[in-house]
Amino acid sequence: SILQVADLVLDLERMQASRAGLPIVLTARELAFLELLMSAPGRVYSRERILSNVWGTNEDPLTNVVDVYVRRLRAKIDDGHELMLIKTVRGFGYRLDAMAD
């Protein structure tokens, strides 16, 4: 019920996230997106897979909603930290891991 990557922790029972011990306020959709990324650290998720898992299959695959939410999550999770956890894999999608680029 607790996912952890580096100093990022997601408590699934409480639906609360924190980084370096500091709470992160996330919306329900941001939590679902973060849970997907943290469920398999290092795995690359395509925009289509993210849309399907987080928004359901009714979303237009050409929408930029995934990019918008990645920016929001980066602002809340990575800003102010030396190690960036949310990575873009050009031409493929996004992944979350603690490996340095």
Side-chain angles (χ1 to χ4, degrees):
S1 68
I2 293 184
L3 300 174
Q4 183 166 0
V5 176
D7 60 351
L8 176 64
V9 177
L10 178 59
D11 183 332
L12 297 173
E13 285 185 18
R14 294 189 173 107
M15 295 308 289
Q16 295 176 339
S18 64
R19 177 131 193 225
L22 300 173
I24 302 168
V25 177
L26 299 172
T27 65
R29 191 79 67 183
E30 290 167 342
L31 280 164
F33 194 167
L34 183 60
E35 180 182 358
L36 176 67
L37 293 176
M38 291 183 75
S39 67
R43 179 177 183 173
V44 178
Y45 289 94
S46 67
R47 284 177 178 81
E48 293 79 15
R49 177 114 186 217
I50 294 167
L51 281 169
S52 175
N53 281 275
V54 178
W55 279 268
T57 56
N58 296 331
E59 285 294 324
D60 177 2
L62 299 177
T63 183
N64 72 338
V65 70
V66 172
D67 303 314
V68 169
Y69 273 78
V70 166
R71 280 193 297 276
R72 288 182 187 176
L73 282 175
R74 282 184 172 143
K76 293 179 178 187
I77 291 168
D78 285 340
D79 283 0
H81 296 276
E82 188 174 323
L83 178 62
M84 301 294 126
L85 297 177
I86 300 173
K87 315 263 176 41
T88 300
V89 181
R90 289 199 179 273
F92 294 100
Y94 300 98
R95 68 186 161 112
L96 187 140
D97 68 44
M99 302 294 287
D101 286 334

